Amino acid sequence: MSDTAIETRALPAREATPEAIAPYGTLIEPGEDGAPFGPAEAVLELGRGTPRLYIMRLTARPMRVTGITRHTAVTQCLAATKGEEWFIALAAPGNVDDAGAEPDPAAMEAFRIPSGKALALHRGTWHAGPYFTGSSVDFLNLELADTNVTDHHTVRLDQRFGLALDITP
C-alpha cells in the first residue's frame, strides 16, 4: 500500500484512570508502604519464562501509531523512571490464544499516563508506545527475558488497514 493510500486520523488521549484502563490493564498509583495486596494492584503473569526488569531509554518520535503490538505470554509493566507523563495507544486483548488475532482499529484508545503512575498491561493487550513530548524518557519495563524475541506480535495498521493514528495530547 502506498503512502498516498494511508488515512490519518486523530486519536485524542484520555486521562488514564483505573476505570478507563481496566479493559487493558491496571493503572498503578502510589500507596502506603506495607498496605496489603488489593484490587488497585496488578495481577502479574510472569510464569511462562524468566522475568526481566530493565530500564529502557526511548528518544522522542512522532506520536503517530502505524503499528501495534501485543505479548501473549506475559503481563507487561511500564513506568517513567523520573515520573514524567507519557502516552500510550491501547486495544483490547481479544482472544490471547488466537495467533491470528488482530486489533480493532476503530476501538483503539489513547491515554495520558499522569506523572508518578505506572501501567500494568493485561496479557495480550495491544499497545503502541510509550510516547512522550520530551527529547528522551527512561522507562522501567517488566516483561520476560525473551519477550522481544519470541512474544512480539505486531500488526502494521498502515499496511493492513491503510491507517495511521496521531495521538493528540
Side-chain angles (χ1 to χ4, degrees), residues 26-131:
T26 305
L27 185 67
I28 309 296
E29 301 182 273
E32 294 298 319
D33 184 30
F37 179 80
E41 296 170 326
V43 175
L44 302 178
E45 295 182 47
L46 300 168
R48 297 174 191 219
T50 302
R52 174 187 185 201
L53 175 65
Y54 66 103
I55 299 173
M56 63 179 184
R57 177 164 292 147
L58 300 178
T59 56
R61 58 185 180 201
M63 288 203 283
R64 175 166 284 180
V65 179
T66 56
I68 192 162
T69 299
R70 73 178 186 160
H71 312 300
T72 60
V74 66
T75 53
Q76 182 179 18
C77 301
L78 297 162
T81 63
K82 295 179 184 166
E84 299 95 336
E85 77 171 12
W86 50 283
F87 301 87
I88 193 164
L90 301 172
N95 182 351
V96 296
D97 296 320
D98 179 0
E102 293 182 323
D104 177 0
M108 287 180 61
E109 296 189 86
F111 292 94
R112 182 178 73 80
I113 308 300
S115 174
K117 298 185 182 180
L119 180 62
L121 298 173
H122 295 315
R123 185 169 67 92
T125 293
W126 294 95
H127 59 284
Y131 297 97

Side-chain angles (χ1 to χ4, degrees), residues 136-156:
S136 72
V137 176
D138 293 345
F139 287 89
L140 283 175
N141 190 356
L142 176 62
E143 56 189 16
L144 297 180
D146 64 350
T147 294
N148 290 324
V149 177
T150 64
D151 188 27
H152 201 267
H153 310 275
T154 299
V155 171
R156 292 292 310 252

Side-chain angles (χ1 to χ4, degrees), residues 7-14 63-65 89 105-106 108-110 163-169:
E7 176 188 354
T8 302
R9 292 186 204 155
L11 186 61
R14 298 173 51 194
M63 288 203 283
R64 175 166 284 180
V65 179
M108 287 180 61
E109 296 189 86
L163 181 64
L165 302 169
D166 284 340
I167 297 175
T168 55

